[in-house]
Amino acid sequence: MLDADDVRAAVPMPAAVDAVREAFLDLAAGHFEVPQRLSFDGGTTLVMSACHTPTGRTAVKTLSLVAGRDPMILGTLVWNTPEAQLVADAIEVTTLRTGAVSGVATDLLAPPDASRLAVLGTGAQAADQIRAVAAVRPVRQVTVFGRSRLRATEFADRMRAEFPGVRVAPSVEDAVSDAEIVCCATSSATPLFDVDALPERVHVNAIGSYLPSMRELPAELLATAGCVVVDQIDAAIEEAGEVIHAVDNGLLPRDSLVELGKALQEPPVAGGRTVFKSVGVAVQDWAIARLLGEKRAHRP
């Protein structure tokens, strides 16, 4: 059993970004079997799995999510190969792979010189959102906002050890007003900001919502963005509250959505505002599990 420290030591963020990018390209090429995520008890228990058909390697992850519990997320990842099996703490894998997919999308869609990052949310996912964006862009300014000013301040204090320029914004509007990249990592049921609060040229990652009842982004952003990329269309239509709302209300044509793997194969030409919406798919867990398995296999 690899604990959180083992996972973090084995997988630096740049390697995680590269591995997740490769996995999405393999997904687009048809090299994965990825059943729909199982969700029980209102989304408090999740089961995700992926099989890489060329190699027969599989990853299965179970998560328990309970708001107010510390930690909120508990879980286990099991990596199976024809030769061996590995078990790892799923919390660290989940934050790593969720950060990594934002890194992949940011590298694809954000301006190459983007250096101002706003992070909305200060929970378990927030730190790796910063690390992943910094792995692909020259981040010089990080602005954070959270519902609790105290928690946001404590989070910023911790992150300054890695990113000295972190500051706490007094409002969402202040946080995003001059951002070139925005990462949303909350469990909000309502949009975090009005579309007019954003600059005209900005890339937005939204990774917090994973249920139809959750919405981090305003429908107007999805309706007017130059490009809306999702991890998987079927998963987004089933689980992403903001996508469901926009599609059901005729603001976002389903056929305008672009899957990340396809976008990596054929990079879109889009200026202005771009959006990446992720609910998380099992190939991301598979990618991190592969790195853990390879690291373990090469230990003396």
Side-chain angles (χ1 to χ4, degrees), residues 161-218:
E162 300 176 55
F163 305 96
V166 179
R167 76 174 184 93
V168 178
S171 66
V172 170
E173 291 75 16
D174 178 85
V176 304
S177 62
D178 69 342
E180 294 168 296
I181 302 165
V182 176
C183 290
C184 304
T186 77
S187 57
S188 180
T190 57
L192 300 174
F193 47 80
D194 293 329
V195 68
D196 291 339
L198 293 171
E200 289 298 321
R201 186 171 184 249
V202 65
H203 171 65
V204 180
N205 298 306
I207 59 88
S209 66
Y210 59 93
L211 294 173
S213 58
M214 295 177 170
R215 288 172 58 198
E216 292 186 294
L217 304 180

Side-chain angles (χ1 to χ4, degrees), residues 62-85:
T62 61
L63 290 180
S64 166
L65 301 91
V66 179
R69 182 179 65 191
D70 187 18
M72 174 185 170
I73 306 172
L74 295 173
T76 301
L77 174 75
V78 179
W79 168 249
N80 287 300
T81 74
E83 299 79 29
Q85 184 181 82

Side-chain angles (χ1 to χ4, degrees), residues 200-258:
E200 289 298 321
R201 186 171 184 249
V202 65
H203 171 65
V204 180
N205 298 306
I207 59 88
S209 66
Y210 59 93
L211 294 173
S213 58
M214 295 177 170
R215 288 172 58 198
E216 292 186 294
L217 304 180
E220 294 78 12
L221 173 59
L222 298 180
T224 59
C227 184
V228 178
V229 176
V230 297
D231 39 19
Q232 264 189 322
I233 291 175
D234 288 346
I237 293 296
E238 182 75 19
E239 300 175 346
E242 46 269 277
V243 173
I244 294 169
H245 177 81
V247 170
D248 287 351
N249 285 276
L251 299 173
L252 179 68
R254 176 180 173 137
D255 61 9
S256 70
L257 297 171
V258 182

